Amino acid sequence: MRVAVLTFPGSNCDYDLYQAVKQVGGEPVWRWHRDRGLEGMDAVLLPGGFSYGDYLRAGAIARFSPIMEDVRAFAEQGGPVVGICNGFQILCEAGLLPGALIRNESLRFQSEDCLLRVERTDTVFTSDYAPGQVLRIPLAHAEGNYRADRETLDRLEGEGLVLFRYVDESGEVVREANPNGSLNNIAGIVNPAGNVMGMMPHPERAMETLLGSADGLGVFTSLLASLATAG
Amino acid sequence: MAHYRIEIRVTPRPGILDPQGKAIHHSLQNLGWTAVDDVRVGKAIHVEMEAESEESARSEAEAMCRKLLANPVTEDFEVYQVEEA
């Protein structure tokens, strides 16, 4: 399974993603932001980091990178696309996911472990998790505060498009568990077609129990399993 | 063709939480400006360009805002000033 890992100027989680794909038995393939073409790719990953120094707005400039036209076409054909952290911000700016990520309520760059509840397990990104499973996954961002207008938020909730939510130890959605002020404690969402996912926390940094947590593995094993089935 | 200096203002939409504005509001109050009710922080973007007319410079600037300079989910924009330079 060939998985494209994109790199924008300022990406810094691309190697972690590359390694994550390898770890679960996929074949990662580098794609620079100016490259064109995603032929032969089975999935596309947009890494975290600070593309274009977060100038103007996080992700606002990267979304116009040449490769993003191919990402859009790939997504429209149903190809799985994952954006993590800055990758999520880029997908929102590109309109491939609804809403926007603004400055954390704390005004600080938050770098800490968070607890996430898996809201759905019938997607290609979460099938290896148990319903309601609570994951410990690191986050590291200054703009992770998810915002959308009332109508969009109602649609996300009504159609079950929220994939991950910040929760406490017992899996409850509480204000104290919300690291950035996101509406409804939203940490990750999926598009209605179910093939484009964005999340702020970093599953690719939670791949080894020895390093603190392996709870992020499921995102990658789920994706690879779905590709194997589809292929 | 003439040269135009354009000032664009991008501000958080009403109802959108503005953490920076909130922090500055707090600070102003601590400094004794207790009469301050609200603070919102936006951006001023200065663009210089060649255009046929003031009108076309303005409409170009609006197109820039819609495509790149403002995010309609969270921000409003205003082409505040267009002047021939």
Side-chain angles (χ1 to χ4, degrees):
Chain A
M1 296 301 132
R2 307 187 80 204
V3 180
V5 177
L6 308 190
T7 304
F8 300 90
S11 295
N12 64 12
C13 301
D14 40 346
Y15 278 82
D16 303 61
L17 272 184
Y18 190 92
Q19 180 55 35
V21 171
K22 249 167 105 171
Q23 191 180 329
V24 297
E27 184 196 337
V29 180
W30 293 120
R31 275 286 181 274
W32 178 235
H33 72 120
R34 275 171 142 140
D35 290 345
R36 291 305 307 261
L38 290 166
E39 292 80 23
M41 296 299 149
D42 297 301
V44 177
L45 308 181
L46 285 74
F50 301 87
S51 58
Y52 295 92
D54 278 352
Y55 295 162
L56 192 62
R57 295 177 308 277
I61 297 177
R63 70 152 287 204
F64 290 108
S65 294
I67 192 77
M68 286 305 293
E69 277 185 49
D70 300 311
V71 173
R72 184 180 299 279
F74 184 83
E76 279 166 5
Q77 288 157 24
V81 176
V82 178
I84 294 169
C85 198
N86 190 222
F88 184 15
Q89 295 163 338
I90 295 169
L91 291 177
C92 285
E93 282 284 343
L96 287 168
L97 288 172
L101 294 141
I102 65 169
R103 183 68 64 94
N104 294 346
E105 210 168 34
S106 64
L107 284 177
R108 287 203 305 264
F109 186 94
Q110 305 279 147
S111 180
E112 63 209 30
D113 279 359
C114 65
L115 297 176
L116 296 181
R117 190 176 72 198
V118 182
E119 301 291 85
R120 272 180 65 183
T121 55
D122 59 340
T123 77
V124 297
F125 312 107
T126 54
S127 57
D128 276 355
Y129 292 118
Q133 189 176 340
V134 175
L135 316 176
R136 177 176 294 275
I137 288 187
L139 58 76
H141 60 248
E143 278 97 13
N145 185 344
Y146 185 79
R147 296 281 138 176
D149 59 32
R150 174 50 57 190
E151 195 183 320
T152 306
L153 195 64
D154 287 347
R155 187 162 49 83
L156 285 174
E157 295 292 359
E159 296 177 19
L161 302 177
V162 177
L163 273 198
F164 300 104
R165 244 184 263 274
Y166 302 110
V167 294
D168 66 9
E169 301 274 349
S170 53
E172 294 301 317
V173 175
V174 293
R175 199 184 153 73
E176 300 75 58
N178 188 336
N180 50 31
S182 283
L183 291 172
N184 296 7
N185 285 33
I186 289 172
I189 57 174
V190 67
N191 67 340
N195 68 311
V196 179
M197 187 270 269
M199 64 189 295
M200 285 312 296
H202 289 276
E204 80 282 11
R205 295 188 192 176
M207 301 287 288
E208 297 277 2
T209 313
L210 202 61
L211 299 176
S213 169
D215 289 353
L217 258 173
V219 170
F220 300 95
T221 55
S222 301
L223 179 60
L224 262 285
S226 80
L227 296 179
T229 318
Chain B
M1 287 297 236
H3 194 78
Y4 290 92
R5 279 205 190 105
I6 304 167
E7 181 175 333
I8 292 159
R9 292 185 176 179
V10 179
T11 47
R13 295 185 63 174
I16 287 282
L17 173 94
D18 173 16
Q20 285 192 83
K22 232 167 126 182
I24 293 168
H25 184 193
H26 217 81
S27 186
L28 287 173
Q29 287 198 320
N30 289 342
L31 290 168
W33 277 285
T34 50
V36 174
D37 284 329
D38 193 25
V39 178
R40 308 281 284 171
V41 179
K43 297 171 196 156
I45 300 171
H46 297 264
V47 175
E48 299 205 15
M49 70 177 295
E50 302 291 320
E52 299 279 359
S53 63
E54 190 180 317
E55 209 166 85
S56 86
R58 181 175 291 276
S59 82
E60 287 293 309
E62 282 167 359
M64 292 175 204
C65 289
R66 278 191 294 271
K67 182 135 193 185
L68 174 67
L69 301 179
N71 181 333
V73 179
T74 54
E75 297 170 323
D76 287 326
F77 65 84
E78 182 191 1
V79 177
Y80 180 72
Q81 201 170 47
V82 180
E83 59 177 19
E84 203 174 328

Coordinates of all heavy atoms in Angstrom, one line a residue, chain A residues 56-57 60-61 63-64 93 99-100 102-105 107 145 147-149, chain B residues 15-20 22-23 43 45 67-71 73-75:
Chain A
L56 N -0.1 34.7 7.9 CA -1.4 35.0 7.6 C -2.4 34.2 8.5 O -3.0 34.8 9.4 CB -1.7 34.8 6.1 CG -3.0 35.4 5.6 CD1 -3.1 36.9 5.8 CD2 -3.3 35.1 4.1
R57 N -2.6 32.9 8.2 CA -3.3 32.0 9.1 C -2.7 30.7 8.9 O -2.2 30.4 7.8 CB -4.8 31.9 8.7 CG -5.6 33.2 8.9 CD -7.0 32.9 8.4 NE -7.1 32.4 7.0 CZ -7.0 33.1 5.9 NH1 -6.9 34.4 5.9 NH2 -7.0 32.4 4.7
A60 N -3.0 28.7 5.6 CA -3.7 29.5 4.5 C -2.9 29.6 3.2 O -3.4 29.7 2.2 CB -3.9 30.9 5.1
I61 N -1.5 29.5 3.4 CA -0.7 29.6 2.2 C -0.4 28.2 1.6 O -0.5 28.1 0.4 CB 0.6 30.4 2.5 CG1 0.2 31.8 2.9 CG2 1.5 30.5 1.3 CD1 1.3 32.7 3.4
R63 N -2.3 25.8 1.4 CA -3.4 25.2 0.7 C -3.4 25.5 -0.8 O -4.0 24.9 -1.6 CB -4.7 25.7 1.3 CG -5.0 27.2 1.0 CD -6.5 27.5 1.0 NE -7.1 26.9 -0.2 CZ -8.2 27.4 -0.8 NH1 -8.8 28.4 -0.2 NH2 -8.7 26.9 -1.9
F64 N -2.6 26.5 -1.1 CA -2.4 26.9 -2.6 C -1.2 26.2 -3.2 O -0.8 26.5 -4.3 CB -2.4 28.4 -2.8 CG -3.7 29.0 -2.5 CD1 -3.9 29.8 -1.4 CD2 -4.8 28.8 -3.4 CE1 -5.2 30.4 -1.1 CE2 -6.0 29.4 -3.1 CZ -6.2 30.2 -2.0
E93 N -8.5 25.1 5.6 CA -8.3 26.2 4.8 C -8.7 25.9 3.3 O -9.2 26.8 2.6 CB -6.9 26.7 4.8 CG -6.6 27.6 6.1 CD -7.2 29.0 6.1 OE1 -7.5 29.4 4.9 OE2 -7.3 29.6 7.1
G99 N -15.2 24.4 8.7 CA -14.8 25.0 9.9 C -13.4 25.6 9.8 O -12.8 25.7 8.7
A100 N -12.8 26.0 11.0 CA -11.5 26.7 11.0 C -10.9 26.5 12.4 O -11.6 26.2 13.4 CB -11.6 28.2 10.7
I102 N -8.7 28.3 15.2 CA -8.1 29.6 15.6 C -7.3 29.4 16.8 O -7.1 28.3 17.4 CB -9.2 30.7 15.8 CG1 -10.1 30.3 17.0 CG2 -10.0 30.8 14.5 CD1 -11.1 31.4 17.4
R103 N -6.7 30.6 17.3 CA -5.8 30.6 18.4 C -6.4 29.9 19.7 O -7.6 30.1 19.9 CB -5.5 32.1 18.8 CG -4.5 32.3 19.9 CD -3.1 31.9 19.5 NE -2.6 32.7 18.4 CZ -1.9 33.9 18.6 NH1 -1.6 34.3 19.8 NH2 -1.4 34.5 17.5
N104 N -5.6 29.1 20.4 CA -6.0 28.5 21.6 C -6.6 29.5 22.6 O -6.0 30.7 22.6 CB -4.9 27.8 22.3 CG -4.3 26.6 21.5 OD1 -5.0 26.2 20.5 ND2 -3.2 26.1 21.9
E105 N -7.6 29.2 23.3 CA -8.2 30.1 24.2 C -7.2 30.6 25.3 O -7.2 31.7 25.7 CB -9.3 29.3 25.0 CG -10.5 30.1 25.4 CD -11.6 29.3 25.9 OE1 -11.4 28.2 26.4 OE2 -12.8 29.7 25.6
L107 N -4.2 31.3 24.7 CA -3.2 32.1 24.0 C -1.8 31.5 24.0 O -0.9 32.1 23.6 CB -3.1 33.5 24.6 CG -4.3 34.5 24.3 CD1 -4.1 35.8 25.0 CD2 -4.3 34.7 22.8
N145 N -8.1 25.5 18.2 CA -9.4 25.9 18.7 C -10.4 25.8 17.6 O -10.5 26.7 16.8 CB -9.3 27.3 19.3 CG -10.5 27.8 20.0 OD1 -11.6 27.2 19.8 ND2 -10.4 28.9 20.7
R147 N -13.5 26.0 15.3 CA -14.7 26.9 15.2 C -15.5 26.6 14.0 O -14.9 26.3 12.9 CB -14.2 28.3 15.1 CG -13.5 28.8 16.3 CD -14.5 29.1 17.4 NE -14.0 28.7 18.7 CZ -14.7 28.9 19.9 NH1 -15.8 29.6 19.9 NH2 -14.2 28.5 21.0
A148 N -16.8 26.7 14.1 CA -17.6 26.5 12.9 C -18.9 27.3 13.2 O -19.2 27.5 14.4 CB -17.9 25.1 12.6
D149 N -19.7 27.7 12.2 CA -20.9 28.4 12.5 C -21.9 27.3 13.0 O -21.7 26.1 12.9 CB -21.5 29.2 11.3 CG -21.7 28.3 10.0 OD1 -22.0 27.1 10.2 OD2 -21.5 28.8 8.9
Chain B
G15 N -19.0 37.5 17.4 CA -19.4 36.2 18.0 C -18.3 35.2 17.9 O -18.3 34.2 18.7
I16 N -17.3 35.5 17.1 CA -16.1 34.6 17.2 C -15.2 35.0 18.3 O -14.9 36.2 18.4 CB -15.3 34.6 15.8 CG1 -16.1 33.9 14.7 CG2 -13.9 34.1 16.0 CD1 -16.0 32.4 14.7
L17 N -14.9 34.0 19.1 CA -14.0 34.3 20.3 C -12.7 34.9 19.8 O -12.1 34.4 18.8 CB -13.8 33.0 21.0 CG -12.7 33.0 22.1 CD1 -13.5 33.3 23.4 CD2 -12.0 31.7 22.2
D18 N -12.2 36.0 20.4 CA -11.0 36.6 20.0 C -10.1 36.6 21.2 O -10.0 37.5 22.0 CB -11.2 38.0 19.5 CG -9.9 38.8 19.3 OD1 -8.9 38.1 19.2 OD2 -10.0 40.0 19.2
P19 N -9.3 35.5 21.4 CA -8.5 35.4 22.7 C -7.5 36.5 22.8 O -7.3 36.9 24.0 CB -7.8 34.0 22.5 CG -8.4 33.3 21.4 CD -9.1 34.4 20.5
Q20 N -6.9 37.0 21.7 CA -6.0 38.1 21.8 C -6.7 39.3 22.4 O -6.1 40.0 23.2 CB -5.4 38.4 20.5 CG -4.4 37.4 20.0 CD -3.6 38.0 18.8 OE1 -2.7 38.8 18.9 NE2 -4.1 37.6 17.6
K22 N -9.3 39.5 24.1 CA -9.7 39.3 25.5 C -8.5 39.5 26.4 O -8.7 40.2 27.5 CB -10.1 37.8 25.6 CG -11.5 37.6 26.3 CD -11.9 36.2 26.1 CE -12.2 35.5 27.4 NZ -12.6 34.1 27.2
A23 N -7.3 39.0 26.0 CA -6.1 39.2 26.9 C -5.8 40.7 27.0 O -5.4 41.2 28.0 CB -5.0 38.4 26.3
K43 N -6.2 42.5 11.6 CA -4.9 42.8 10.9 C -5.2 43.9 9.9 O -6.2 44.0 9.3 CB -4.5 41.6 10.1 CG -4.2 40.3 10.8 CD -4.1 39.2 9.9 CE -4.2 37.9 10.7 NZ -4.6 36.7 9.9
I45 N -3.6 45.0 6.3 CA -2.7 44.5 5.3 C -2.6 45.6 4.2 O -3.6 46.1 3.7 CB -3.3 43.2 4.7 CG1 -3.4 42.1 5.8 CG2 -2.4 42.7 3.5 CD1 -4.2 40.9 5.3
K67 N -10.2 35.2 -1.7 CA -9.4 34.0 -2.0 C -8.4 33.6 -0.9 O -8.2 32.5 -0.6 CB -8.7 34.2 -3.4 CG -7.9 33.0 -3.8 CD -8.1 32.7 -5.3 CE -7.5 31.3 -5.6 NZ -7.6 31.0 -7.0
L68 N -7.7 34.6 -0.4 CA -6.6 34.3 0.5 C -6.6 35.1 1.8 O -6.3 34.5 2.9 CB -5.3 34.6 -0.3 CG -4.0 34.5 0.5 CD1 -3.7 33.0 1.0 CD2 -2.8 35.0 -0.3
L69 N -6.8 36.4 1.8 CA -6.5 37.2 2.9 C -7.4 37.1 4.1 O -7.0 37.3 5.3 CB -6.4 38.7 2.5 CG -5.4 39.0 1.4 CD1 -5.5 40.5 1.0 CD2 -4.0 38.6 1.8
A70 N -8.6 36.7 3.9 CA -9.5 36.5 5.0 C -10.1 35.1 5.0 O -10.3 34.5 3.9 CB -10.7 37.5 5.0
N71 N -10.4 34.5 6.1 CA -11.1 33.2 6.2 C -12.6 33.5 6.5 O -12.8 33.9 7.7 CB -10.5 32.3 7.2 CG -11.1 30.9 7.3 OD1 -12.3 30.8 7.0 ND2 -10.4 29.9 7.7
V73 N -14.9 31.8 7.5 CA -15.5 31.2 8.7 C -15.3 32.0 10.0 O -16.2 32.1 10.8 CB -14.8 29.8 9.0 CG1 -15.4 29.1 10.2 CG2 -15.0 28.9 7.7
T74 N -14.2 32.7 10.0 CA -13.8 33.4 11.3 C -13.6 34.9 11.2 O -13.5 35.6 12.2 CB -12.6 32.8 11.9 OG1 -11.5 32.8 10.9 CG2 -12.8 31.3 12.3
E75 N -13.5 35.3 9.9 CA -13.1 36.7 9.7 C -13.9 37.5 8.8 O -14.5 37.0 7.8 CB -11.6 36.8 9.2 CG -10.6 36.2 10.2 CD -9.2 36.0 9.6 OE1 -9.1 35.6 8.4 OE2 -8.2 36.2 10.3

